[in-house]
mmCIF file of all heavy atoms in Angstrom:
data_model
loop_
_atom_site.group_PDB
_atom_site.id
_atom_site.type_symbol
_atom_site.label_atom_id
_atom_site.label_comp_id
_atom_site.label_asym_id
_atom_site.label_seq_id
_atom_site.Cartn_x
_atom_site.Cartn_y
_atom_site.Cartn_z
ATOM 1 N N CYS A 1 0.817 -1.244 -0.013
ATOM 2 C CA CYS A 1 0.017 0.030 0.004
ATOM 3 C C CYS A 1 0.849 1.284 -0.035
ATOM 4 O O CYS A 1 2.067 1.260 0.372
ATOM 5 C CB CYS A 1 -0.924 0.002 1.239
ATOM 6 S SG CYS A 1 -1.974 -1.488 1.340
ATOM 7 N N PHE A 2 0.249 2.351 -0.349
ATOM 8 C CA PHE A 2 0.865 3.724 -0.267
ATOM 9 C C PHE A 2 -0.127 4.758 -0.083
ATOM 10 O O PHE A 2 -1.305 4.609 -0.468
ATOM 11 C CB PHE A 2 1.780 3.955 -1.527
ATOM 12 C CG PHE A 2 1.100 3.924 -2.830
ATOM 13 C CD1 PHE A 2 0.645 5.113 -3.410
ATOM 14 C CD2 PHE A 2 0.941 2.752 -3.604
ATOM 15 C CE1 PHE A 2 -0.006 5.141 -4.597
ATOM 16 C CE2 PHE A 2 0.367 2.773 -4.835
ATOM 17 C CZ PHE A 2 -0.144 3.975 -5.324
ATOM 18 N N ALA A 3 0.380 5.911 0.424
ATOM 19 C CA ALA A 3 -0.457 7.085 0.584
ATOM 20 C C ALA A 3 -0.038 8.098 -0.424
ATOM 21 O O ALA A 3 1.091 8.168 -0.852
ATOM 22 C CB ALA A 3 -0.324 7.682 2.034
ATOM 23 N N MET A 4 -1.010 8.947 -0.848
ATOM 24 C CA MET A 4 -0.727 9.987 -1.787
ATOM 25 C C MET A 4 -1.766 11.166 -1.589
ATOM 26 O O MET A 4 -2.867 10.997 -1.091
ATOM 27 C CB MET A 4 -0.775 9.492 -3.280
ATOM 28 C CG MET A 4 -2.171 9.017 -3.704
ATOM 29 S SD MET A 4 -2.103 8.414 -5.428
ATOM 30 C CE MET A 4 -3.884 8.016 -5.664
ATOM 31 N N ASP A 5 -1.235 12.314 -2.018
ATOM 32 C CA ASP A 5 -2.216 13.467 -2.054
ATOM 33 C C ASP A 5 -2.240 13.989 -3.524
ATOM 34 O O ASP A 5 -1.625 13.460 -4.341
ATOM 35 C CB ASP A 5 -1.859 14.553 -0.994
ATOM 36 C CG ASP A 5 -0.475 15.079 -1.235
ATOM 37 O OD1 ASP A 5 0.219 14.856 -2.184
ATOM 38 O OD2 ASP A 5 -0.014 15.934 -0.350
ATOM 39 N N TYR A 6 -2.944 15.056 -3.724
ATOM 40 C CA TYR A 6 -3.043 15.583 -5.170
ATOM 41 C C TYR A 6 -3.069 17.104 -5.131
ATOM 42 O O TYR A 6 -3.832 17.739 -4.482
ATOM 43 C CB TYR A 6 -4.361 15.096 -5.773
ATOM 44 C CG TYR A 6 -4.520 15.510 -7.206
ATOM 45 C CD1 TYR A 6 -3.631 15.172 -8.123
ATOM 46 C CD2 TYR A 6 -5.581 16.357 -7.556
ATOM 47 C CE1 TYR A 6 -3.781 15.563 -9.501
ATOM 48 C CE2 TYR A 6 -5.697 16.825 -8.905
ATOM 49 C CZ TYR A 6 -4.818 16.454 -9.847
ATOM 50 O OH TYR A 6 -4.927 16.872 -11.104
ATOM 51 N N LEU A 7 -2.112 17.668 -5.862
ATOM 52 C CA LEU A 7 -1.976 19.072 -6.126
ATOM 53 C C LEU A 7 -2.051 19.388 -7.541
ATOM 54 O O LEU A 7 -1.165 19.174 -8.325
ATOM 55 C CB LEU A 7 -0.648 19.629 -5.541
ATOM 56 C CG LEU A 7 -0.354 19.304 -4.013
ATOM 57 C CD1 LEU A 7 0.991 19.915 -3.623
ATOM 58 C CD2 LEU A 7 -1.428 19.881 -3.173
ATOM 59 N N GLU A 8 -3.203 19.806 -7.991
ATOM 60 C CA GLU A 8 -3.531 20.142 -9.377
ATOM 61 C C GLU A 8 -2.574 21.212 -9.829
ATOM 62 O O GLU A 8 -2.268 22.247 -9.133
ATOM 63 C CB GLU A 8 -4.979 20.611 -9.530
ATOM 64 C CG GLU A 8 -5.285 20.985 -10.985
ATOM 65 C CD GLU A 8 -5.380 19.815 -11.938
ATOM 66 O OE1 GLU A 8 -5.969 18.821 -11.559
ATOM 67 O OE2 GLU A 8 -4.732 19.918 -13.012
ATOM 68 N N GLY A 9 -1.937 21.010 -11.029
ATOM 69 C CA GLY A 9 -0.996 21.972 -11.623
ATOM 70 C C GLY A 9 0.419 21.712 -11.232
ATOM 71 O O GLY A 9 1.332 22.260 -11.822
ATOM 72 N N GLU A 10 0.648 20.807 -10.282
ATOM 73 C CA GLU A 10 2.017 20.508 -9.919
ATOM 74 C C GLU A 10 2.436 19.152 -10.705
ATOM 75 O O GLU A 10 1.545 18.509 -11.269
ATOM 76 C CB GLU A 10 2.141 20.199 -8.438
ATOM 77 C CG GLU A 10 1.731 21.441 -7.616
ATOM 78 C CD GLU A 10 2.840 22.443 -7.516
ATOM 79 O OE1 GLU A 10 3.984 22.113 -7.928
ATOM 80 O OE2 GLU A 10 2.568 23.583 -7.074
ATOM 81 N N ASP A 11 3.712 18.823 -10.616
ATOM 82 C CA ASP A 11 4.206 17.666 -11.314
ATOM 83 C C ASP A 11 5.109 16.888 -10.339
ATOM 84 O O ASP A 11 6.227 17.297 -10.083
ATOM 85 C CB ASP A 11 4.920 17.994 -12.598
ATOM 86 C CG ASP A 11 5.279 16.751 -13.430
ATOM 87 O OD1 ASP A 11 5.185 15.597 -12.871
ATOM 88 O OD2 ASP A 11 5.652 16.922 -14.696
ATOM 89 N N PHE A 12 4.660 15.675 -9.872
ATOM 90 C CA PHE A 12 5.476 14.836 -8.964
ATOM 91 C C PHE A 12 5.645 13.516 -9.613
ATOM 92 O O PHE A 12 5.816 12.525 -8.861
ATOM 93 C CB PHE A 12 4.635 14.662 -7.646
ATOM 94 C CG PHE A 12 4.408 15.993 -6.942
ATOM 95 C CD1 PHE A 12 3.108 16.528 -6.949
ATOM 96 C CD2 PHE A 12 5.440 16.606 -6.250
ATOM 97 C CE1 PHE A 12 2.906 17.771 -6.280
ATOM 98 C CE2 PHE A 12 5.185 17.823 -5.588
ATOM 99 C CZ PHE A 12 3.875 18.387 -5.598
ATOM 100 N N THR A 13 5.713 13.462 -10.941
ATOM 101 C CA THR A 13 5.822 12.167 -11.640
ATOM 102 C C THR A 13 7.064 11.417 -11.240
ATOM 103 O O THR A 13 8.223 12.013 -11.274
ATOM 104 C CB THR A 13 5.769 12.336 -13.127
ATOM 105 O OG1 THR A 13 4.632 13.046 -13.498
ATOM 106 C CG2 THR A 13 5.851 11.033 -13.858
ATOM 107 N N ILE A 14 6.933 10.147 -10.845
ATOM 108 C CA ILE A 14 8.079 9.428 -10.355
ATOM 109 C C ILE A 14 8.821 8.845 -11.660
ATOM 110 O O ILE A 14 8.271 8.934 -12.807
ATOM 111 C CB ILE A 14 7.684 8.245 -9.463
ATOM 112 C CG1 ILE A 14 6.766 7.308 -10.262
ATOM 113 C CG2 ILE A 14 6.976 8.770 -8.223
ATOM 114 C CD1 ILE A 14 6.391 5.977 -9.503
ATOM 115 N N SER A 15 9.975 8.317 -11.410
ATOM 116 C CA SER A 15 10.723 7.675 -12.535
ATOM 117 C C SER A 15 9.858 6.379 -12.921
ATOM 118 O O SER A 15 9.287 5.767 -12.096
ATOM 119 C CB SER A 15 12.147 7.236 -12.119
ATOM 120 O OG SER A 15 12.840 8.363 -11.762
ATOM 121 N N LYS A 16 9.962 6.128 -14.250
ATOM 122 C CA LYS A 16 9.231 4.938 -14.747
ATOM 123 C C LYS A 16 9.787 3.687 -14.099
ATOM 124 O O LYS A 16 10.916 3.368 -14.160
ATOM 125 C CB LYS A 16 9.412 4.879 -16.290
ATOM 126 C CG LYS A 16 8.698 3.793 -16.928
ATOM 127 C CD LYS A 16 8.997 3.795 -18.436
ATOM 128 C CE LYS A 16 8.370 2.556 -19.115
ATOM 129 N NZ LYS A 16 8.607 2.538 -20.563
ATOM 130 N N PRO A 17 8.871 2.937 -13.451
ATOM 131 C CA PRO A 17 9.287 1.714 -12.793
ATOM 132 C C PRO A 17 9.848 0.662 -13.765
ATOM 133 O O PRO A 17 9.391 0.612 -14.934
ATOM 134 C CB PRO A 17 7.966 1.126 -12.088
ATOM 135 C CG PRO A 17 7.173 2.357 -11.985
ATOM 136 C CD PRO A 17 7.494 3.165 -13.186
ATOM 137 N N ALA A 18 10.698 -0.119 -13.291
ATOM 138 C CA ALA A 18 11.363 -1.121 -14.184
ATOM 139 C C ALA A 18 10.392 -2.084 -14.858
ATOM 140 O O ALA A 18 10.527 -2.476 -16.038
ATOM 141 C CB ALA A 18 12.439 -1.898 -13.459
ATOM 142 N N ALA A 19 9.365 -2.482 -14.140
ATOM 143 C CA ALA A 19 8.352 -3.391 -14.669
ATOM 144 C C ALA A 19 7.177 -2.736 -15.220
ATOM 145 O O ALA A 19 6.138 -3.461 -15.543
ATOM 146 C CB ALA A 19 7.940 -4.391 -13.527
ATOM 147 N N TYR A 20 7.136 -1.512 -15.462
ATOM 148 C CA TYR A 20 5.982 -0.754 -15.938
ATOM 149 C C TYR A 20 5.447 -1.291 -17.230
ATOM 150 O O TYR A 20 4.257 -1.504 -17.405
ATOM 151 C CB TYR A 20 6.224 0.731 -16.093
ATOM 152 C CG TYR A 20 5.040 1.446 -16.496
ATOM 153 C CD1 TYR A 20 3.988 1.686 -15.599
ATOM 154 C CD2 TYR A 20 4.924 1.987 -17.791
ATOM 155 C CE1 TYR A 20 2.846 2.361 -16.047
ATOM 156 C CE2 TYR A 20 3.822 2.718 -18.277
ATOM 157 C CZ TYR A 20 2.777 2.884 -17.351
ATOM 158 O OH TYR A 20 1.632 3.605 -17.817
ATOM 159 N N ASP A 21 6.258 -1.538 -18.195
ATOM 160 C CA ASP A 21 5.786 -2.015 -19.501
ATOM 161 C C ASP A 21 5.062 -3.351 -19.382
ATOM 162 O O ASP A 21 4.053 -3.583 -20.034
ATOM 163 C CB ASP A 21 6.911 -2.166 -20.497
ATOM 164 C CG ASP A 21 7.491 -0.811 -20.918
ATOM 165 O OD1 ASP A 21 6.763 0.216 -20.782
ATOM 166 O OD2 ASP A 21 8.642 -0.799 -21.308
ATOM 167 N N PHE A 22 5.517 -4.215 -18.457
ATOM 168 C CA PHE A 22 4.775 -5.507 -18.243
ATOM 169 C C PHE A 22 3.432 -5.211 -17.617
ATOM 170 O O PHE A 22 2.465 -5.742 -18.099
ATOM 171 C CB PHE A 22 5.644 -6.303 -17.288
ATOM 172 C CG PHE A 22 4.871 -7.587 -16.776
ATOM 173 C CD1 PHE A 22 4.724 -8.712 -17.578
ATOM 174 C CD2 PHE A 22 4.308 -7.528 -15.482
ATOM 175 C CE1 PHE A 22 3.991 -9.787 -17.137
ATOM 176 C CE2 PHE A 22 3.589 -8.625 -15.019
ATOM 177 C CZ PHE A 22 3.448 -9.756 -15.801
ATOM 178 N N TRP A 23 3.446 -4.384 -16.537
ATOM 179 C CA TRP A 23 2.167 -4.216 -15.897
ATOM 180 C C TRP A 23 1.160 -3.409 -16.765
ATOM 181 O O TRP A 23 -0.040 -3.620 -16.633
ATOM 182 C CB TRP A 23 2.392 -3.509 -14.594
ATOM 183 C CG TRP A 23 2.950 -4.466 -13.502
ATOM 184 C CD1 TRP A 23 4.207 -4.380 -12.912
ATOM 185 C CD2 TRP A 23 2.354 -5.604 -12.918
ATOM 186 N NE1 TRP A 23 4.425 -5.340 -12.075
ATOM 187 C CE2 TRP A 23 3.271 -6.158 -12.069
ATOM 188 C CE3 TRP A 23 1.126 -6.218 -13.117
ATOM 189 C CZ2 TRP A 23 2.994 -7.248 -11.316
ATOM 190 C CZ3 TRP A 23 0.859 -7.401 -12.431
ATOM 191 C CH2 TRP A 23 1.803 -7.944 -11.464
ATOM 192 N N ARG A 24 1.678 -2.639 -17.600
ATOM 193 C CA ARG A 24 0.806 -1.741 -18.482
ATOM 194 C C ARG A 24 -0.017 -2.657 -19.404
ATOM 195 O O ARG A 24 -1.171 -2.308 -19.734
ATOM 196 C CB ARG A 24 1.692 -0.830 -19.232
ATOM 197 C CG ARG A 24 0.900 0.235 -20.153
ATOM 198 C CD ARG A 24 1.865 1.139 -20.742
ATOM 199 N NE ARG A 24 1.157 2.098 -21.634
ATOM 200 C CZ ARG A 24 0.879 1.917 -22.876
ATOM 201 N NH1 ARG A 24 1.138 0.797 -23.503
ATOM 202 N NH2 ARG A 24 0.241 2.890 -23.645
ATOM 203 N N GLU A 25 0.479 -3.819 -19.801
ATOM 204 C CA GLU A 25 -0.187 -4.716 -20.689
ATOM 205 C C GLU A 25 -0.786 -5.949 -19.970
ATOM 206 O O GLU A 25 -1.589 -6.631 -20.649
ATOM 207 C CB GLU A 25 0.842 -5.194 -21.732
ATOM 208 C CG GLU A 25 1.450 -4.141 -22.593
ATOM 209 C CD GLU A 25 0.405 -3.252 -23.297
ATOM 210 O OE1 GLU A 25 -0.653 -3.823 -23.768
ATOM 211 O OE2 GLU A 25 0.542 -2.050 -23.443
ATOM 212 N N TYR A 26 -0.533 -6.163 -18.740
ATOM 213 C CA TYR A 26 -0.925 -7.365 -18.114
ATOM 214 C C TYR A 26 -2.401 -7.405 -17.773
ATOM 215 O O TYR A 26 -3.074 -6.368 -17.438
ATOM 216 C CB TYR A 26 -0.200 -7.531 -16.758
ATOM 217 C CG TYR A 26 -0.746 -8.678 -15.936
ATOM 218 C CD1 TYR A 26 -0.362 -9.990 -16.246
ATOM 219 C CD2 TYR A 26 -1.600 -8.515 -14.839
ATOM 220 C CE1 TYR A 26 -0.824 -11.075 -15.509
ATOM 221 C CE2 TYR A 26 -2.007 -9.563 -14.088
ATOM 222 C CZ TYR A 26 -1.644 -10.884 -14.430
ATOM 223 O OH TYR A 26 -2.113 -11.861 -13.698
#
């Protein structure tokens, strides 16, 4: 699990996870 908040207009994009391409299609 993880916690997050949201600030419209800001950019907190994390680095692309190593397994992202797999999970994107799974």
Side-chain angles (χ1 to χ4, degrees):
C1 304
F2 59 93
M4 64 182 185
D5 60 9
Y6 180 63
L7 302 181
E8 180 67 49
E10 302 283 346
D11 189 347
F12 301 103
T13 304
I14 63 171
S15 300
K16 182 180 176 181
Y20 180 71
D21 290 338
F22 169 81
W23 287 114
R24 185 176 182 272
E25 299 303 322
Y26 173 76

